[in-house]
Amino acid sequence: MGSCIHKWEMADIRYGYLVVEGCTRCKARSSFFSTEVVAPKDEYQEGEHFWAYFGSSQAVKFNFKCTKCGKTSKLDDMVGLMMSTCEDPQCNVARIAKKEGMGTWVYVALCADSTHSSGKCVSKESIEALNKYFNQNIKAPGKKILIVPCIQCCSVDRCRGIVLADTGLTEIY
């Protein structure tokens, strides 16, 4: 069986909100993607956690499908993408952006557990598919997009960026 050099296209595109909640008791954070017309702002108790609404941003969620072989890549472990604007020298994302230079735009793939207390983040496979997709049509020399998992952020409270609300990430090139 031959291996395909995938040519990804977006599939299952959903527009909505990236909602961030925090536990007022233990300071845990949780994020989720919502397709509701208005971002949910409910406070509730779940086990020992008392979840409160911390904020939301318009966002887009999607999967990939290969136009050559039909394979799909589900991005279930990603709740949104954020263009990094972080300049904190303590943050690995800012250091990566500085090292990569002016021609590289660094984006952060956001997972549901922004404090990473579960030990999970956006998978290596999802990061590879995202990088392949967003770079496959860039023709400008010296330009690239680098997607990194949010576990590279120094802190959910300090790493800065803009959550993407549309699918036109590579149209700037």
Side-chain angles (χ1 to χ4, degrees):
M1 184 170 173
S3 66
C4 179
I5 298 173
H6 299 300
K7 173 93 169 133
W8 296 117
E9 68 178 9
M10 284 188 182
D12 309 317
I13 299 170
R14 296 160 320 271
Y15 297 93
Y17 295 93
L18 172 65
V19 180
V20 179
E21 298 176 326
C23 176
T24 56
R25 177 179 276 169
C26 73
K27 307 298 183 220
R29 296 288 173 89
S30 179
S31 301
F32 64 92
F33 182 81
S34 172
T35 57
E36 294 183 37
V37 177
V38 176
K41 297 180 180 181
D42 301 328
E43 292 187 13
Y44 58 96
Q45 181 178 358
E46 182 180 62
E48 294 187 20
H49 295 289
F50 291 91
W51 296 108
Y53 173 81
F54 276 20
S56 61
S57 299
Q58 286 185 312
V60 62
K61 189 162 169 52
F62 50 87
N63 294 312
F64 290 131
K65 182 176 182 179
C66 179
T67 60
K68 294 179 179 179
C69 70
K71 176 184 173 154
T72 59
S73 178
K74 299 253 184 224
L75 301 173
D76 294 335
D77 53 359
M78 183 186 77
V79 295
L81 271 175
M82 177 180 77
M83 178 180 68
S84 175
T85 59
C86 187
E87 296 179 355
D88 184 339
Q90 301 300 312
C91 183
N92 200 38
V93 174
R95 289 194 300 263
I96 290 168
K98 186 174 182 177
K99 179 182 167 232
E100 290 291 328
M102 294 295 291
T104 301
W105 290 40
V106 178
Y107 289 80
V108 179
L110 303 168
C111 73
D113 180 10
S114 56
T115 56
H116 300 99
S117 60
S118 67
K120 294 181 182 178
C121 193
V122 179
S123 69
K124 180 181 175 188
E125 294 78 20
S126 292
I127 295 295
E128 287 174 0
L130 286 159
N131 277 297
K132 169 84 174 165
Y133 172 78
F134 285 112
N135 285 287
Q136 68 189 358
N137 294 320
I138 294 176
K139 305 292 184 230
K143 299 286 184 184
K144 77 174 182 179
I145 293 172
L146 179 61
I147 313 286
V148 298
C150 62
I151 200 163
Q152 296 288 328
C153 293
C154 60
S155 164
V156 66
D157 295 322
R158 292 189 357 234
C159 196
R160 299 285 176 234
I162 301 165
V163 175
L164 299 183
D166 60 43
T167 59
L169 182 58
T170 58
E171 293 172 6
I172 53 176
Y173 293 116

